[in-house]
Amino acid sequence: QRALLRSFSPPGGAAAQKITAMSLPPECSLEATPLPVCFAQAQAAYHWVDGSSLGGADPALQQRVADGLAFAEKAAELVSSLSVFSANEELEDINTGDLKYLLLPFLRAELILRIQPEEAAGCHDVRLKHLRHAAALLEAFLRDLEARRALRAEARAGWEEACADRPLDAAASRTLKVSRLRAASRAKKALEALEARARGAAAAASADRDDGDEEAGREAALVSLEACSHAALDSLRGVAQEQELLEAVAAARRENGGSLPAPPPPPPRAEHETLPGLQQLSLAPGSRIEMRAGAGGRLSYGAVMEQLHTGEVPGLHSLSVEEGMRREEAERAMAEAERLRQMGTREEARRAREEKGYDTEEEEEELRKARAKDDWRDSHTRGAGNRRNRS
């Protein structure tokens, strides 16, 4: 899903690509930056940070996060002051050039999640504050798409699951996750097709090029909104898990006067008491290694590891390659001997049948039936009791 967002090009064709790649001159202040440039800079910063191989606390990455977040905040302020969207406006009523601004809460939340507070006292509280802010933005983004009927079926089902009071059962949750992954894969293929179509339209000039660019831009914006909705649901789940962990740490700090409690001491042990698990193994009395194990038939973990390939430790013997090949050859030889023995048994049975006057099992069965019929005729003569089966 992150790759989907990186592959999305904003509606507007080549001009928007140039805005995304350009950098502001030093004398240009953020307050004088127009809305399209602010959004393009925020989106470019998010894509750069998301695709970067730098560490999360790297100064260059954190500086890019701060710059992108500043542009995103400014763009959100401009969208609000200019009244780009109305409360009762649905997706079909929004202009193609304004669809991309629906992504601003998502971009702000993702950039806020990239902020790494410095390791100092209270850093967990700062991180917790960022998580709550990002969660509020992600929820606002999904609620806005839901109100404007911009959520597809899979994303809507995931949002309903996130808002439900009780979680779904394991089977339903797994089915929903698979359907969302398939929807994200379809969105990726759709974006790739749109990019290929845009490159072909840029190479060939036509009279209706502007109409084609607008249609392709609107379709790309809608597919990008779908991909961002799935990414927002995943981020919201991760934020909830991290927030729960940090809240537990904060509660432990409050109970201990501002610092984490010390780990509990290990339980007291006797002088010769051994730890449970693989560190000590009990051997059966009379085993060959009992004398080497010491009194009480106890063997240390290190001694077992040293004798792993010797075959002296019961249940831990591992075969070498040569031993395995020899065992396989012996098993094949035993199987071949058993097959020959069975063939000899069948041959002896065949010879016995030939000596009795019949060669096959079918002939033996026919002879048995004939003898049974003769015996029946001897005991059942013709009469009232034999009307239906006279011989």
Side-chain angles (χ1 to χ4, degrees), residues 31 46 87 97 115 117 148 180 187 197 263 272 276 278 289 363 375:
E31 296 297 330
Y46 165 71
I115 298 176
R148 301 183 188 281
R180 285 185 51 213
R197 188 192 309 171
H272 300 290
L278 290 178
I289 205 169
E363 293 177 357
D375 295 341

Side-chain angles (χ1 to χ4, degrees), residues 7 73 100:
S7 63
E73 297 288 351
K100 56 186 177 182

Side-chain angles (χ1 to χ4, degrees), residues 92-333:
E92 291 79 6
D93 303 328
I94 301 176
N95 294 330
T96 301
D98 297 337
L99 283 175
K100 56 186 177 182
Y101 300 132
L102 293 174
L103 295 173
L104 279 174
F106 172 78
L107 296 178
R108 293 167 60 194
E110 292 295 330
L111 289 173
I112 289 173
L113 291 176
R114 266 53 171 202
I115 298 176
Q116 293 289 337
E118 298 181 357
E119 293 293 338
C123 62
H124 291 86
D125 297 335
V126 175
R127 178 61 180 172
L128 190 58
K129 181 180 178 181
H130 291 164
L131 290 176
R132 290 169 179 168
H133 189 191
L137 288 173
L138 291 173
E139 292 175 357
F141 170 68
L142 292 170
R143 280 196 302 267
D144 189 26
L145 293 184
E146 183 183 21
R148 301 183 188 281
R149 299 182 181 180
L151 285 178
R152 301 291 176 90
E154 296 82 2
R156 189 187 311 111
W159 175 235
E160 291 175 355
E161 179 190 12
C163 297
D165 297 334
R166 60 179 62 183
L168 298 177
D169 58 282
S173 179
R174 181 170 58 252
T175 303
L176 179 58
K177 184 176 181 180
V178 170
S179 64
R180 285 185 51 213
L181 289 176
R182 291 176 178 174
S185 178
R186 291 194 299 268
K188 179 179 180 180
K189 293 180 181 179
L191 282 177
E192 291 175 355
L194 290 173
E195 287 183 350
R197 188 192 309 171
R199 287 192 295 267
S206 59
D208 57 345
R209 182 176 177 181
D210 294 337
D211 297 338
D213 286 347
E214 183 177 358
E215 182 180 356
R218 187 174 187 84
E219 187 175 358
L222 295 177
V223 176
S224 178
L225 285 174
E226 180 184 3
C228 290
S229 62
H230 291 292
L233 288 171
D234 294 336
S235 297
L236 197 59
R237 185 178 296 106
V239 165
Q241 295 174 355
E242 186 178 357
Q243 185 176 350
E244 181 180 0
L245 178 62
L246 290 181
E247 287 177 351
V249 172
R253 287 179 180 273
R254 287 193 301 269
E255 294 176 358
N256 199 48
S259 61
L260 288 176
R269 295 188 295 111
E271 183 177 357
H272 300 290
E273 185 181 358
T274 58
L275 296 176
L278 290 178
Q279 297 185 5
Q280 292 289 334
L281 298 178
S282 298
L283 298 182
S287 60
R288 292 183 299 167
I289 205 169
E290 185 176 358
M291 298 300 296
R292 297 174 55 188
R298 308 292 294 181
L299 180 66
S300 66
Y301 178 78
V304 171
M305 293 297 103
E306 291 177 0
Q307 303 169 34
L308 183 62
H309 295 281
T310 61
E312 298 181 4
V313 181
L316 291 180
H317 180 45
S318 298
L319 298 178
S320 62
V321 177
E322 293 79 7
E323 292 174 342
M325 294 177 62
R326 288 196 295 269
R327 174 173 290 187
E328 290 180 359
E329 292 175 357
E331 292 176 354
R332 285 196 297 268

